[in-house]
Amino acid sequence: MPRAATTTDVFNAIAEPRRRQIIDLLAQSTRPQAVGDLVEALQLSQPTVSKHLAVLRKVGIVSVRKQGQHRLYELNAVELRPVHDWVKTYEQFWSGQLSRIKQRAEKLAAERAGKKKSSNSKEL
């Protein structure tokens, strides 16, 4: 079965690691970023960065506005909501795992403290 086009939905668009890097850069920025800034940060060619931005723009993850000769890109994080909602359904597995790790660590710490206390009382 052929894979869906990258511009059909958010999941396909973010499947590419470089596009996730662009999303990360835009999320970390307090202001819209020019293509040149992204090119410099990613160490990729301008056409490559522009191609990835076009995909992200098509699915609504980024928006663009012109300012003089520059195109400034900004993250529309709300468009990542479907990804968040989908991943959230699996949170119970992570939370449960973390709880088990915590319980095991606490048990080991208590056992070690008990052994230490026991060996100290034998020395007296």
Side-chain angles (χ1 to χ4, degrees):
M1 186 162 119
R3 196 170 142 208
T6 57
T7 56
T8 58
D9 64 34
V10 172
F11 291 95
N12 283 308
I14 67 169
E16 164 59 48
R18 295 290 188 187
R19 288 194 279 274
R20 292 193 304 271
Q21 283 182 306
I22 291 170
I23 292 168
D24 289 344
L25 287 171
L26 293 173
Q28 293 166 9
S29 179
T30 57
R31 60 180 178 76
Q33 295 291 301
V35 175
D37 296 334
L38 296 170
V39 165
E40 186 177 320
L42 295 167
Q43 295 295 299
L44 295 172
S45 70
Q46 185 273 324
T48 299
V49 173
S50 291
K51 177 183 166 192
H52 289 308
L53 285 167
V55 171
L56 295 172
R57 197 172 70 240
K58 182 113 179 177
V59 296
I61 298 173
V62 300
S63 61
V64 63
R65 66 180 162 84
K66 280 182 130 181
Q67 185 174 14
Q69 292 182 345
H70 299 282
R71 291 181 186 273
L72 301 176
Y73 289 86
E74 202 167 16
L75 180 65
N76 295 328
V78 71
E79 295 300 326
L80 292 168
R81 187 70 187 204
V83 177
H84 173 269
D85 292 345
W86 180 75
V87 170
K88 192 159 177 60
T89 62
Y90 299 96
E91 185 177 22
Q92 63 183 335
F93 299 108
W94 301 314
S95 297
Q97 184 71 4
L98 290 174
S99 295
R100 287 190 294 277
I101 290 169
K102 180 181 177 200
Q103 288 171 353
R104 191 169 184 189
E106 288 171 347
K107 181 181 174 186
L108 287 171
E111 288 173 0
R112 287 181 183 155
K115 286 180 184 177
K116 191 174 185 180
K117 197 180 217 183
S118 172
S119 69
N120 286 342
S121 63
K122 287 181 185 177
E123 291 175 6
L124 296 173

